[in-house]
Amino acid sequence: MSAAPLIELRGLTKSYRSGEIVTPVLHGIDLDVARGDYVALMGASGSGKSTLMNLIGLLDRPDEGRLSLAGADAAKADVNEQARIRNREIGFVFQSFNLLKRMTVLDNVALPLVYAGQSRSAARERATEMLGKVGLGALGKRLPNQLSGGQQQRVAIARALANRAPLLLADEPTGNLDSQTTSEVLDVFEQLNRDDGLTIVLVTHEPDVAMRAKRLVRLKDGRIAFDGKPGTEVH
């Protein structure tokens, strides 16, 4: 018997309302993401990819449909339960690194663990471990502005995964990076996916970034237009 998907979406719809104007964005999305998968979400502006990412990350609620995350019916959970699921199951990485400028790199990574109730020493020990995993073990005492853009994004990845979340959601994580630094960040993603079994869902508009994933899901007009191995899509 195969294991249940980490993410299971059935009939997901989403519209946005402005006054009396209703704009449909997603139309009945069905999607499974297995544990250990690495999925790139692509699509033109307005295709619904960012909306879908926000729904998976429990930052928004669908109008209709089922959203199961790690076996929990997350779409119907109340606000407090959704917050608990987010904190336990999901790490977020964004285009802007969102690091606190006056805190050391080590304390930036440890901060979510301190908020979660861990002792400062335990949080810093885990933060040190995660910085080593992303290749920055020697830079914990530096401030974010003493790092390159790629190094700052790796710090953000370490912080996102400090709580041992099995799912990483990355929204245009290489959007502010040059090609060499993009490749370095994607190397980290691939290592975490390969060695730690981390499940990654990444939104990107860059074909070269999507080609590094195991799976490409392309949205068009709020529907899935392609779901398969990168490089096999027929235009």
Side-chain angles (χ1 to χ4, degrees), residues 126 130 133 161 190-199:
R126 172 62 177 166
M130 287 308 304
K133 194 171 284 292
L161 301 176
E190 288 178 4
Q191 176 190 345
L192 291 167
N193 174 255
R194 180 185 64 246
D195 297 346
D196 295 0
L198 179 68
T199 307

Side-chain angles (χ1 to χ4, degrees), residues 24 36 53 114 128 145 151 155 175:
M53 172 75 83
V114 174
T128 299
N145 64 7
Q151 289 171 330
V155 173

Side-chain angles (χ1 to χ4, degrees), residues 45-97:
S45 179
S47 64
K49 61 184 185 298
S50 293
T51 297
L52 182 57
M53 172 75 83
N54 287 339
L55 293 179
I56 294 172
L58 307 184
L59 302 174
D60 202 352
R61 289 181 182 269
D63 297 331
E64 297 179 357
R66 180 163 60 88
L67 192 164
S68 176
L69 183 59
D73 190 354
K76 294 181 179 178
D78 63 28
V79 172
N80 291 331
E81 179 60 21
Q82 285 198 339
R84 283 192 290 269
I85 295 171
R86 272 197 307 273
N87 293 337
R88 186 174 62 244
E89 305 291 345
I90 307 172
F92 294 91
V93 175
F94 300 99
Q95 183 171 332
S96 55
F97 318 125

Side-chain angles (χ1 to χ4, degrees), residues 38-42 53 168-174 186 189 200-206 209-210 213 217:
Y38 180 179
V39 181
L41 281 179
M42 293 193 76
M53 172 75 83
L168 180 69
L169 299 182
D171 193 358
E172 297 283 3
T174 60
L186 295 178
F189 284 160
I200 301 172
V201 178
L202 176 152
V203 167
T204 183
H205 66 276
E206 303 171 79
V209 171
V217 174

Side-chain angles (χ1 to χ4, degrees), residues 82-132:
Q82 285 198 339
R84 283 192 290 269
I85 295 171
R86 272 197 307 273
N87 293 337
R88 186 174 62 244
E89 305 291 345
I90 307 172
F92 294 91
V93 175
F94 300 99
Q95 183 171 332
S96 55
F97 318 125
N98 297 333
L99 301 178
L100 298 177
K101 297 178 181 178
R102 296 184 180 182
M103 295 184 72
T104 66
V105 163
L106 182 65
D107 286 335
N108 263 282
V109 177
L111 189 62
L113 301 176
V114 174
Y115 282 154
Q118 290 194 24
S119 68
R120 183 175 175 84
S121 60
R124 296 188 92 191
E125 182 177 348
R126 172 62 177 166
T128 299
E129 177 187 346
M130 287 308 304
L131 285 172

Side-chain angles (χ1 to χ4, degrees), residues 38 210-211 213-217 226-234:
Y38 180 179
M211 288 296 293
K214 292 178 178 176
R215 178 179 171 195
L216 170 63
V217 174
F226 175 80
D227 182 354
K229 186 176 180 180
T232 65
E233 187 176 11
V234 178

